[in-house]
Amino acid sequence: MNSKARITAIGSYVPNNVMTNDDLEALVNTNDEWITKRTGIKERRIAGVDEYSSDLSLKAINDLTERYNKTISDVDMIIVTTLTPDYQTPSVASYIQGKLGIKNAGAIDLNAACAGFTYGLHMANSLITSGLHRKILVIGTETLSKIIDFTDRATCILFGDGAGAVLVEYSEKGGFLSSLVTSEGEKAHHLYGTNLSDTMFDQELQHKRQLVQNGREVYKWAVSTVPKGMMSVLDKTPYTLEDVDWFIPHSANLRMVESICTKAKYSMDKTLYSMEKFGNTSAASIPLALDLGIKDGKVKAGDRLLLYGFGGGLTQCGHLIEWG
């Protein structure tokens, strides 16, 4: 891949309100041992009543600019990846552009669910490498707590809120080494949230306006397809899994990630995830995990990272990148 784009900065934000597994005991028939054993999740963050995906995004961007001393007034495209936008229109990206006062930037929302962030990176790399843009904000942000049925223990234990933002800039030595993008729309009914239509493939959908997931089917799909996708990303390069310093998959469920790593024969010790403290944050989970790795001093300049998103659609998108 002849990339001309590189990630140059990252920021993140999660709401202050912590919901523990013990807190969920008051809502549904569950307990900390049951949740931890099946998901690896201990806590998740919950946005305030008046706190939306745009608010989380702006705080993640602020974290980015402060930590990396970056100017964003010359950003020429904003890509927000989310399945929980504040509005049907305007896009979260346009709203953020207005809030930040960036004058010469395009703005677009992208919904690829839990693969959203990696899809956003794919678009940013393409736009910059083609020469159409030079400096792009890519944000993964979710307020999933606003569309969760807190009487359904199969879903309410999983999801949380958060945001991560990265700056992707033109670089003669591009950092994107290889990519893979796929979708299996025929399996979309296994993970959905209704909007204007309440049917899919001529079948009536349940739980109107809330997130519905067939966890067993999504689990089987991810464990059987993601390891193959990881190899497809690497097959386009001279590298093997042994050359990958850190694997950063979508933080859906720790047991799922463990199964993916076992099948791919990749060490969990070199895998970064964010679900233990933040739950499944969909499009935000990969940037949150990456930023945790940076703050912990694990991810260093020159490291090769395999980012791999998968989720509703059913979508997948993976990238092998060089960090820093």
Side-chain angles (χ1 to χ4, degrees), residues 199-228:
T199 63
M200 185 184 298
F201 298 121
D202 299 322
Q203 298 295 314
E204 180 95 12
L205 299 177
Q206 300 175 340
H207 303 291
K208 308 287 192 295
R209 311 299 177 261
Q210 293 177 325
L211 198 64
V212 177
Q213 175 176 249
N214 184 331
R216 185 181 299 275
E217 289 301 320
V218 173
Y219 192 105
K220 285 164 51 181
W221 167 78
V223 172
S224 65
T225 61
V226 171
K228 297 174 186 175

Side-chain angles (χ1 to χ4, degrees), residues 49 61 67 145 148 169-170 205 217 242 251-252 277 314:
V49 173
I61 294 167
R67 286 165 55 194
S145 63
I148 294 302
E169 299 188 68
Y170 176 85
L205 299 177
E217 289 301 320
E242 293 182 356
S251 288
K277 289 189 175 295
L314 295 172

Side-chain angles (χ1 to χ4, degrees), residues 12 37 46 94 176 270:
S12 61
K37 181 178 179 180
I46 306 298
S94 288
F176 288 80
K270 296 171 64 180

Side-chain angles (χ1 to χ4, degrees), residues 110-113 115 118-119 122 180-189 191 201 221 225 229 308-318:
L110 186 160
N111 180 0
T118 46
Y119 263 74
H122 185 71
L180 171 74
V181 181
T182 70
S183 177
E184 296 178 67
E186 67 276 11
K187 299 175 183 176
H189 57 289
L191 176 54
F201 298 121
W221 167 78
T225 61
Y308 207 99
F310 53 91
L314 295 172
T315 54
Q316 293 189 43
C317 181

